[in-house]
Amino acid sequence: MTYLVTGATGAIGSAIVAELRARSETVIAHGRSIRTPSCDGIVQWIGGDLLAAEGQDIIREASAGGLAGVIAAHGIPGSAPLADLTRAFTERVMRINFESLLALLEATLPALRRRRGRFVAVASQAGLVGEPDNAAYSASKFAVVGWIRHIAGQASDQDVTYHALCAGCTESPLLTAIHDQFARAQGTATAEEFAALRQRSIPVGRFATPHETAAAAVYLATADGPRPTILAESGGEVVW
């Protein structure tokens, strides 16, 4: 089976690639910063801007043989105090975190239909419950969750199934940077102190590892049984 993973150079994306490789699946790994296509064994590495025609053509060409699944794990943070949000900042977050998924699905839908595949969007628990000082990011992830719920309920296309993984806090350089922004916005704690406070609010008492979040994404993408449309993997912090 062949799977396409976007955001494959990030903490979660690279863990998803590793999880699929461990299952002996063929992987097309996409990263916007990848300039030269390459292949190392069962992983084909490609790049390009998903919102550009050239980037979409690269996706189409790489997936022409059919896809058992697409796991969209790309995205950017969008944390900032509400008073500091600018139109340009918010539009960029929405374009990369939400609009690019529309372009990705358009580019991969024929390949997914050939294999009756699954399209999985790695969203966030911030797409289920709004978070303070995180309005732009939450808005982008709410858009992803709403879009997935809508297209999953359409009866006209049963050849493809759609899922959103609403992951909780996952250990990564991106999470560390976000906590630093939250701490500075509140002006009351360091990033480490903020992270410790956040962990105490999670029933399991810790953040997820990239491997755990990757395993949840791969669970949704595999076709060996029914899967929930929306899966909240948040350590109990947000229940769906």
Side-chain angles (χ1 to χ4, degrees):
M1 298 289 191
T2 300
Y3 292 83
L4 169 68
V5 180
T6 65
T9 57
I12 294 174
S14 60
I16 292 170
V17 172
E19 184 78 12
L20 289 167
R21 290 188 67 171
R23 296 166 62 100
S24 298
E25 307 290 3
T26 300
V27 183
I28 302 170
H30 179 278
R32 184 176 181 181
S33 61
I34 296 172
R35 301 303 179 196
T36 304
S38 63
C39 185
D40 58 352
I42 61 174
V43 179
Q44 178 184 358
W45 294 89
I46 60 174
D49 184 350
L50 294 173
L51 286 165
E54 181 181 0
Q56 293 162 29
D57 288 342
I58 292 171
I59 292 285
R60 289 190 186 94
E61 181 178 353
S63 60
L67 292 171
V70 171
I71 305 178
H74 64 279
I76 60 172
S79 55
L82 188 61
D84 293 343
L85 289 181
T86 65
R87 179 174 177 177
F89 176 81
T90 302
E91 287 180 347
R92 181 170 183 266
V93 173
M94 291 297 296
R95 280 177 57 79
I96 293 175
N97 288 358
F98 173 57
E99 290 181 35
S100 65
L101 292 183
L102 279 65
L104 177 62
L105 178 59
E106 181 180 358
T108 59
L109 190 54
L112 285 167
R113 283 176 171 156
R114 290 190 195 100
R115 297 289 182 268
R116 299 183 67 86
R118 296 177 184 262
F119 185 95
V120 178
V122 179
S124 168
Q125 66 182 27
L128 299 174
V129 177
E131 296 180 344
D133 297 319
N134 212 15
Y137 184 79
S138 288
S140 69
K141 295 303 184 178
F142 265 88
V144 171
V145 172
W147 175 63
I148 289 291
R149 290 181 66 191
H150 172 71
I151 59 177
Q154 287 185 324
S156 60
D157 185 4
Q158 294 301 310
D159 289 337
V160 180
T161 55
Y162 300 92
H163 312 273
L165 173 62
C166 294
C169 293
T170 302
E171 295 172 352
S172 65
L174 180 62
L175 180 66
T176 300
I178 290 171
H179 284 166
D180 181 61
Q181 292 175 357
F182 281 158
R184 285 189 284 107
Q186 295 183 7
T188 57
T190 64
E192 292 75 16
E193 291 169 336
F194 182 92
L197 288 171
R198 185 70 183 271
Q199 286 187 10
R200 287 199 287 272
S201 71
I202 302 172
V204 299
R206 63 178 180 83
F207 299 143
T209 66
H211 170 75
E212 289 171 322
T213 299
V218 172
Y219 162 77
L220 290 176
T222 53
D224 54 357
R227 299 289 186 260
T229 300
I230 309 297
L231 176 62
E233 181 249 348
S234 64
E237 186 174 7
V238 174
V239 179
W240 178 260

